[in-house]
Amino acid sequence: MKLNDRGLLVVISGPSGVGKGTIRRALFNMPKHNLVYSVSMTTRAKRPGEVDGVDYFFVSKEEFMKRKEEGQFLETAEFVGNYYGTPLDKVNEQLDLGNEVVLEIEVEGAQQVKEKMPDCVMIFVVPPGKQALYERLRRRGTESEEIIRARIEKANREFQLAHLYDYIVVNDEVHNAADRIMAIIRAEHAKTERSIHKYMKMIEEN
Ligand code: 5GP
């Protein structure tokens, strides 16, 4: 018997370069889950190997702004010169179907989601140490020195925001971090406050 009609909204966030994307991919490769990834919209240029509609919906700045004015986003953020946003209609559609919707977004947008949908599950991914994060940002190698420096500065400010989250997950090994996130999602799903109404109704009817 299903105790929750509506799925969970799971926000995976954390400092720039911590490995959120890699963890998210590992999470979706795990067997037997009903997670749905919310594909974001962005104005940044496509990186080699990225696919439109899978990694992001790549749009022009004009189109992004038009959609923003029309209220089409759950949240938006500017990140190192580009815009990113979560399309609202798809999130609601999937939650209504009872699926767990996963957002992988930076911290500014995560705060907006918390304000608009307070029953979301907020997960903050942290590196095992600051040095590990800096090395990862440099190793990525797809950006100029200027952009890397901007991302490091941003990450240093973002470390301070951990207290706004429900859970902190250390990314020591990708599969460990993904396992921890899956455990959090399963436990949150079973929380009494999320299912008590439906459970009591069932008890009263039988
Ligand atoms: P990247 O350009 O490396 O793909 O992503 C840069 C940052 O933007 C990452 O921290 C990523 O998690 C975040 N991001 C991706 N999509 C969204 C979104 O829809 N909203 C927000 N606020 N951040 C996003």
Side-chain angles (χ1 to χ4, degrees), residues 36-205:
V36 175
Y37 177 56
S38 161
V39 179
S40 295
M41 206 164 269
T42 185
T43 62
R44 89 146 157 72
K46 208 195 280 182
R47 291 189 188 126
E50 285 185 331
V51 178
D52 191 27
V54 175
D55 299 286
Y56 284 103
F57 294 106
F58 295 95
V59 294
S60 65
K61 197 172 165 192
E62 291 69 34
E63 176 160 6
F64 190 96
M65 287 308 170
K66 183 173 153 277
R67 286 172 184 266
K68 188 175 171 178
E69 270 164 36
E70 288 169 1
Q72 289 190 25
F73 292 113
L74 168 59
E75 59 74 37
T76 60
E78 191 183 345
F79 186 88
V80 200
N82 293 302
Y83 293 98
Y84 297 81
T86 301
L88 180 60
D89 54 349
K90 295 211 174 68
V91 168
N92 275 326
E93 198 179 290
Q94 289 298 330
L95 291 176
D96 287 343
L97 286 171
N99 293 321
E100 327 285 26
V101 178
V102 175
L103 309 186
E104 179 237 303
I105 60 178
E106 55 69 66
V107 291
E108 215 179 286
Q111 279 174 259
Q112 294 168 38
V113 177
K114 182 78 187 164
E115 277 158 29
K116 288 196 193 153
M117 296 192 174
D119 67 342
C120 69
V121 182
M122 298 273 287
I123 301 173
F124 195 66
V125 180
V126 295
K130 268 192 172 181
Q131 214 49 43
L133 181 69
Y134 298 160
E135 277 162 25
R136 188 149 34 201
L137 278 170
R138 292 194 176 279
R139 260 206 316 269
R140 195 183 257 174
T142 51
E143 276 110 10
S144 69
E145 185 61 24
E146 193 189 344
I147 290 182
I148 291 170
R149 242 197 315 266
R151 286 190 182 224
I152 287 177
E153 274 171 33
K154 198 168 163 57
N156 276 330
R157 290 192 300 275
E158 290 168 344
F159 276 120
Q160 314 298 326
L161 299 169
H163 66 281
L164 299 170
Y165 288 75
D166 301 309
Y167 297 93
I168 293 177
V169 166
V170 179
N171 184 19
D172 44 6
E173 295 286 340
V174 173
H175 66 274
N176 285 343
D179 274 352
R180 289 176 193 128
I181 291 178
M182 190 59 91
I184 290 167
I185 295 172
R186 295 209 164 114
E188 278 286 333
H189 202 104
K191 257 195 172 165
T192 306
E193 67 200 43
R194 294 192 191 274
S195 54
I196 185 85
H197 298 297
K198 194 163 177 200
Y199 177 70
M200 292 314 288
K201 212 167 143 212
M202 179 198 81
I203 294 291
E204 279 154 23
E205 278 167 6

